């Protein structure tokens, strides 16, 4: 081997070692910095509402995944087969979050459950979305609110041209009535390498006193979407259902809502996408058989079937894959008088809001 060729071999070998060390170092960083948020965390309640819930009065609740303020109607996401990894600009995030907040307020709600609310994430330009929403709601009256961090992640270096970065995201519950306490529960997630995709997951439940001495217990949930399968999602639901059942057995009123990452009606995939044959881990059929006795899935839509989310592999159009992932489940001491997924055209997020009207029965 001549000296010139030997030099090139050494250069290529050195470059290979540098790349190998960089990749190995990054993988080590991701796993060494990974940590789960503790289970059974008491959350801080903000606000000054002192109003108890009343029996016999009709209330309105809204569940709304705001998609971390990135999803304009033409936004596509790399983890769904699209191209983009973060919101297009800070201005776009502000417009989407404010637009989602105003959409929710337009239903004159008493309770609102938001999911995928970022506080300091690369993907959403480090905008504190929780404070934007709180400010918008506080301008309309007295609201109590509780924020539970759903997950935090290390800096994701993919896609290489515009990395997704670090994420800090949570679920936000707001109520015109007095929230006396709230608890964050950590859900079971995938293990091994899959946990990096699955991130952390949680639900939280908040207590509102009722005038008859019982409590209205509000569950806000955002179940796993990536890096998991139907059985893992069902395990998450079973854990939450166990907590819901315990509250019901105490005589309390229980209302649960959120993004379940299951086909909520069990048939919305075929209804909206007939003959498509599409199947994703995040929209397996909802396991109706594990819903506890005494609970009702609210799917008797007043104005017909409307999708609650779209796949973001392409800009939203009539060719988009759409499905119902979001919804409400209530205990049978709650009468629901109206439920509807509202078509907002996915203008500000990849989800549509779900509106529920309900009455606490006087037991």
């Amino acid at each position: 081997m001549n000296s010139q060729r030997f030099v090139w071999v050494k250069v290529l070998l050195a470059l290979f070692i540098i790349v190998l060390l960089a990749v190995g170092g990054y993988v080590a960083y991701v796993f060494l910095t990974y940590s789960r948020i503790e289970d059974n965390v008491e959350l801080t309640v903000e606000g000054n509402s002192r109003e108890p819930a009343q029996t016999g009065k009709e209330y309105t609740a809204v569940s709304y995944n705001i998609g971390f303020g990135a999803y304009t109607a033409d936004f596509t996401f790399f983890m769904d087969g699209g191209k983009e990894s973060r919101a297009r600009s800070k201005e776009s995030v502000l417009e989407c979050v404010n637009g989602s907040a105003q959409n929710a307020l337009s239903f004159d709600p008493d309770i609102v459950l938001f999911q995928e609310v970022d506080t300091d994430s690369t993907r959403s330009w480090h905008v504190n979305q929780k404070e934007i929403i709180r400010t918008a709601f506080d301008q309309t009256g007295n609201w109590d609110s509780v924020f539970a961090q759903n997950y935090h992640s290390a800096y994701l270096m993919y896609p290489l041209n515009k990395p997704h970065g670090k994420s800090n995201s949570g679920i936000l519950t707001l109520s015109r009535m007095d929230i006396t306490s709230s608890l964050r529960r950590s859900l079971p997630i995938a293990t091994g390498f899959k946990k990096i995709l699955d991130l952390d997951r949680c639900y939280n439940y908040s207590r509102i006193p009722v005038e008859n001495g019982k409590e209205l217990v509000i569950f806000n949930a955002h179940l796993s979407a990536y890096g998991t399968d139907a059985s893992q999602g069902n395990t998450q639901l079973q854990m939450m259902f166990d907590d819901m059942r315990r509250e019901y057995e105490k005589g309390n009123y229980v209302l649960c809502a959120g993004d379940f990452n299951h086909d909520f009606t069990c048939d919305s995939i075929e209804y909206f996408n007939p003959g498509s044959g599409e199947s994703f881990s995040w929209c397996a059929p909802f396991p109706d058989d594990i819903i506890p006795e005494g609970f009702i899935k609210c799917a008797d839509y007043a104005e017909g079937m409307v999708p609650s989310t779209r796949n973001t592999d392409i800009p939203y159009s009539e060719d988009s894959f759409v499905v119902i992932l979001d919804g409400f489940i209530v205990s049978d001491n709650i009468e629901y008088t109206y439920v509807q997924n509202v078509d907002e055209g996915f203008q500000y997020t990849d989800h549509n809001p779900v509106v529920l009207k309900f009455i606490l029965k006087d037991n």
Side-chain angles (χ1 to χ4, degrees), residues 291-292 294-299 328-334 336:
I291 297 175
F295 284 84
I296 303 161
K297 188 171 69 171
C298 304
F328 285 86
I329 299 170
V330 298
S331 53
D332 61 11
N333 51 7
I334 296 176
Y336 83 89

Side-chain angles (χ1 to χ4, degrees), residues 65-78 84-100 115-118 121-125 127 129 151 164 169 310 312 346-351:
N65 182 326
I66 68 167
F68 62 90
Y71 293 88
T72 54
D74 60 347
F75 184 89
T76 66
F77 189 50
F78 76 105
E84 296 165 273
S85 57
R86 58 177 76 170
R88 291 171 183 166
S89 66
K90 182 176 181 180
E91 291 71 26
S92 179
V93 173
L94 293 172
E95 180 180 359
C96 286
V97 175
N98 277 302
S100 294
Q115 301 86 40
E116 204 128 24
V117 179
D118 277 9
S121 300
T122 309
R123 64 187 187 177
S124 50
W125 298 79
V127 172
Q129 299 172 7
Y151 56 81
H164 189 62
S169 192
R310 69 178 179 95
T312 57
F346 302 110
Q347 181 180 7
Y348 300 118
T349 169
D350 59 329
H351 288 251

Side-chain angles (χ1 to χ4, degrees), residues 40-75:
N40 289 306
V41 175
E42 290 283 351
L43 302 172
T44 300
V45 179
E46 299 183 80
N48 55 9
S49 178
R50 296 294 179 265
E51 181 182 343
Q54 301 175 33
T55 59
K57 176 180 177 179
E58 186 175 73
Y59 291 103
T60 299
V62 176
S63 181
Y64 206 0
N65 182 326
I66 68 167
F68 62 90
Y71 293 88
T72 54
D74 60 347
F75 184 89

